[in-house]
Structure formats: structure tokens, C-alpha cells
Amino acid sequence: MKIVCDGLDLADAVMKVSKAISNKNVNPILEGIKLSTDEDYLYLTATDLELTIENKIKSEIKIEGDVVIPGKFFGEYIKKLNNEQIELTSDDSNNLSIRYADSFGKIQCYNASEYPTTKKLDFDNSFEITQKDLKDLIQKSVYAVSTDDTRPILKGVKIEVNNSLVTAIALDGFRLALNSKPVRNVSNSCNIIVPAKSLKEISNLLNDSDDYVKLNIQRNYLMVEVENTKISTRLLDGEFINYKQIIPSAFATNVIINKQQLENSIDKAMLFSRVDKNNLVKFEINDKIMIVSSHSEIGENKDNISISLNGKELTIAFNARYFSEALRVIDDEYIKLSFNSSISPCVITGNENTNFVNLILPVRIS
Amino acid sequence: MKIVCDGLDLADAVMKVSKAISNKNVNPILEGIKLSTDEDYLYLTATDLELTIENKIKSEIKIEGDVVIPGKFFGEYIKKLNNEQIELTSDDSNNLSIRYADSFGKIQCYNASEYPTTKKLDFDNSFEITQKDLKDLIQKSVYAVSTDDTRPILKGVKIEVNNSLVTAIALDGFRLALNSKPVRNVSNSCNIIVPAKSLKEISNLLNDSDDYVKLNIQRNYLMVEVENTKISTRLLDGEFINYKQIIPSAFATNVIINKQQLENSIDKAMLFSRVDKNNLVKFEINDKIMIVSSHSEIGENKDNISISLNGKELTIAFNARYFSEALRVIDDEYIKLSFNSSISPCVITGNENTNFVNLILPVRIS
């Protein structure tokens, strides 16, 4: 292989695909990035066998070929180079030479034949969604996935596609997040479960534009292509929890509250309750005021927040972290908190925007 | 104690004094910040018994008093508050109440009587230097101190004050840094050894202005006051190495080189040599070119840098880290490297500015 490309393009491509590099140290070659050539492009590919990211950059291909470079090292090295034309040459002993200006580098690489091949997928199914909506869909659901290895299916987000709507659902046994967005050109309704890590990397590729992206689904795979980057991920296989029966439809207590004020108070509550490691925050909902409080051996904090209450007064407690994570992804100025009793879940929605639903189980207090 | 002050002022003061909080966990009260009142000011003091930082903020003092708050916790808490008037009240049980707007916090504190008292110092000796020069003096010396606990005196920087010049010297057995600056109003010539950590904190207080600051010296202490912050530090006691005989005065090889180019090449060299943990970088000095190279099992890098050579050609090797740290604090566009042989030290100075001297011992290569 012998190619010439732009140093900045190369550094950018290495950074993008590096996210798929395996950090599990199972197989050293998976810590590498495969470089290969095709027509006027240099292709960079990284995979951890679940998530695969591929990026292509315009290059002058002098000799076709491929090689697998140590990913992390090459990433650091390439960052130190400048915006110059860089020449990459691989030899028969899998050494990659990097030449630019008065600099010469040589890196010991792996033989590309040992790298897992990515099979060509035929996609049965697809739909389109704007980049902005897909980003929001992921952001407002993925934080609620489980981190518990004993129920691997809950480490994924369920994506349900109907005629004109896509819904993402994540839950971990203590809270649930659900978010819906419009879609177009749906070939078939479908339900898939996508690993959270893969969704986060897809989200990182997206901007806030109204440009449509196409999501392609094969039985076991999801693939998205944005500009020069292609992400494909294996899907999770298994039975997801029937979430619909978890979300209450009627409530005894409804509160409208300023989101930023509640977030600040939860923040302070976490600081105190963290000391006792219980993360407990208490809400006392009265006519016009909600008192948000926490205490621990180091002290206590108590904030009064103005609210508009519709329904019964209530005292209820939560793990502050679940509230904090739910509020962080909401950008509405006012939100609605809905309750039935101190032992049933709280549902958080936008005051007007009800596309997303966050549900949090309370903690019993004496 | 009962006072009212501005929240931002308080947060800023807590941040500044926090640098002196002990992180050695020897005595819990040293993890605290002492709050005390005097006339129209709230005083904040933190000390690790070596370094003491005190800051004062304008406050409305309603009831005089003092209390010691848990420093790290209070620092995090105060950051979450806003730019509002804050009322602090301490009670007889050493609880500090924090009130602002609709928020109420209470923190369990220590009794101030258990906090070490800072003795009033009478200073024998003083001199003045501009903030800019003091900052530069510290920055270009302090990085070269030893981190070796077996020779504690080398964890300090020697400061020599003569009639009109202050010189700072640090060395660790492998390299040496020396920097001189003009001073005024010197009461007496003196030599002191200041702990590196204290100098770094003094440097953090300074800006790049031509305003003079006064350094006050008592037998065992150095004190500097900048605006509302006062830093005092114990001095180190012992015999410093006679550094003057270490610095050669004549050289066989003199090289003028672009500082940024050398720094970039050293950076790349470190990336490769780090893999073998020897950090070795080799210089091959020829007529118009210096080749900067390194290699390890992962590969190699070789840069050609244009130089102007005066004297003999030479091949010599160094620990790249020492070069990297020396170059980082130099802002000259061109620097001078001076050598005698491959087993004697390299001296780095500015091409024109020779106030600072960095000396680095070479590594023998076969």
C-alpha cells in the first residue's frame, strides 16, 4: 500500500473510528484500525465485533493494499502531525512508514488478513429520520439503560418503528425513559433492541440539522451512514420487558415546576446525600411550594420551589441520581411531575411536549 | 458568627484558599477552612502547616465569630449557589447555616479553637519584583525540583537575592534550571529554599502585570500578599548543592535551533520511547541538520531539523521528558543548545536571552 492524504483528514478519521476499538484486550488485533484502499479512497475500519465504524477519506492511491495499525498509538501519533500531505507506505513485513516534510516514522503493524472481515449486509428494512430527531431520540432514552450484566437485554434500547413514528425505550428496573419521533419512508414496522454503546456512537455522529438519515435494519444488524462514516452494530436478541403496563395513565397529584430550579436543588441534595451513600432526596408537595430536601451526617439542605399543584398534597422520596439524569436531557423550561402515592412511580414529562416520558420509582421512607 | 456576603466572592475565596488544604489526612481539621471575622471582612484561612493561604472578602458582619468548615465539601456546595447575597450563621454546636433566596443549608463544622493558630510574623527582610517577573522566575525553575523524598532539600527551589537580582535554582540530580530577574528595594541579600508546592501556589496568584509585589522573609518563612490573598510558607532548612560548579562555561558544540520544531520532535520521540519506558531521544548534530530520533519495539521516528552549528559535530542522547519539560516553559522562538561531549551535560539557553539556563545530563548510548 502506498497513499498520500491530508494529515488533518487522517487525524479526524482515526479519531472517529477509534470509538469502536475494543478495550477488552481479548484479541490484540481488535485494538487496531484497518487501513485499506479502494479507488480514490483510504478506508479506516475499527470493530469490537459488536460495533463497527468505518470512515473513508479522499486519497491519492499509488499502490493498493491494506494493513492494521495499532489504533491508540497511531491516534496519538497522528495528532502530533500537522496539516500537511502525508505519505503512508506499507511493506511486506507489515511496517507502515509515515513521511511528511522532514519527518519519517515507522510503525510495526498487523497483517490485514488476520482482521475480522465485515460481511456485506443486505438490508430488509429501513426508515428515515432527521439527524436532530434521531439525536434527541437517543439522548432522551439511552441514559436509562441498565448497567447490570445479569440482564444483558436491558443494556440495550428498544426501538419500535410504526408507520410514521419511532419510539425508543430504556429501563433498568428503577426507572424508565421513553421518547417518540416522527419518521418517513418506513419499509416495514419492526422492533429491535440496540446496544446502548452503539447508539451513543451513532448519536456522536449526528448534528442538529433537519437532514434525513436512513437507518437500515437486517435481522441482526442496524447500519447508519452519515457523510463519510458508516456505523453498523449487532442487535441484542431476547425478550424485552412489557413496559406499557408500567406507565400509569391517571394521576392523583400533578405538579408544574421550573426545570432548572428543580435541577439545581437536586444537585445540592445529591451533594449532601452522597455522603451517606443513599442519594436520598425528599419532595414535600404542598399547595404552592415543593420542598426539596436531603440530609446526612455532614448536614442538610432544604429548598423551597414555587409550583402549580393540581391534585393532592404528597410527600415522597427518590434516589436523586435518577432525577438528575432524567432532568439533564430535558430542555423544556417547565416540566410536569405526576404521582399517585408515595409508593408508586413519578412520571416526568414536558409541560406541553409529551413525546418523552421518564418514570422513576420512589424510595420508601419511614 | 453571622455575616452577609456576596456568593461569587465567597466561592472565589474558597477556591483560592482550598489549594492549601492538606490532602494527607493526618488531622481532619486541616481539611477544613477557617472562617473568621474582623471589622468589615470575612477571613478564610487554610493551611497544611507548611503552606498557609488567607483570603478576605468584604462582608456585612452582624455577629463576630469563627468556625472551621469542611473545605472540600463547602467548596463543592458553594459552587452550586448563585451570585446572590448569602447569609452565614454559626451556632454554639458548630453548625454553619447558609441562607439565600428560598434555600437553607446546614453544615456540621469544627470548633475554630482546635485550628492551628497562625503566628504573627515580623519580617526581617524583603524585596520587590514585578508580578510578571516573579511568575516567570518561578515557572522557569520550579519544574526541575526533585520528587525524591530521600533528599527533601531538593524538593525546594533555592532563591538567592542580591542587590538588584534574584536567582531561582532547582535541580534533581539529572537536570538543573536557573532563572534570574531584576528586583528593587532589597533590604538585605539572602538565600532561602522555598518548597516547590508553595511557589506554584504563589505563581497561581500572579498575573502578567508590571505591578510590584513585596516578598517578605523571616528566618523560617516567606510571605507574599497579592490583593486580598496572603500566602505564607515555611522555608526548607539544609545545605543546597553547590550548583555553580555544575554549569560549564565553555562549549565545543553550539547549536541554534527553532524551539517549536524541536519541541514537536521531542513530543513524537516520547511517544515512541515511552513504549520501552526508557524515554530515550537521540540527537545527531551535523553541519546544517540535527536528526532527532527515537525507536522502540513499536517502531521509530526520525525528524530532520535545520540548525546553525558552531563547533564540532556530535551524537548524544537524553531522557526526552527532561527536554520536553525544559522546552515547555521557554517562549523564545530560537534557542541555543551547548555541548562538550556525548557524556557531558547539554545547556539550553535563549538565543539572545541568557537569563535562564537549563542543564540536562545525557544518557550514555552504545
Side-chain angles (χ1 to χ4, degrees), chain A residues 84-100:
Chain A
E84 299 178 60
Q85 292 292 299
I86 291 179
E87 186 190 82
L88 305 177
T89 318
S90 67
D91 63 19
D92 293 344
S93 321
N94 296 314
N95 288 307
L96 183 75
S97 299
I98 303 112
R99 280 192 185 79
Y100 72 94

Side-chain angles (χ1 to χ4, degrees), chain A residues 123 125-130 134 137-138 159 161 166 183 185 187 192 194 199 202 206 212-218 221-225:
Chain A
F123 293 103
N125 226 331
S126 65
F127 65 95
E128 292 176 12
I129 179 170
T130 65
L134 181 54
L137 186 82
I138 295 170
I159 309 260
V161 189
V166 57
V183 288
N185 296 339
S187 60
I192 55 174
V194 189
L199 280 180
I202 291 173
L206 303 168
Y212 278 83
V213 283
K214 188 170 175 184
L215 280 79
N216 302 284
I217 301 158
Q218 200 228 32
Y221 287 90
L222 169 71
M223 192 276 279
V224 188
E225 197 166 355

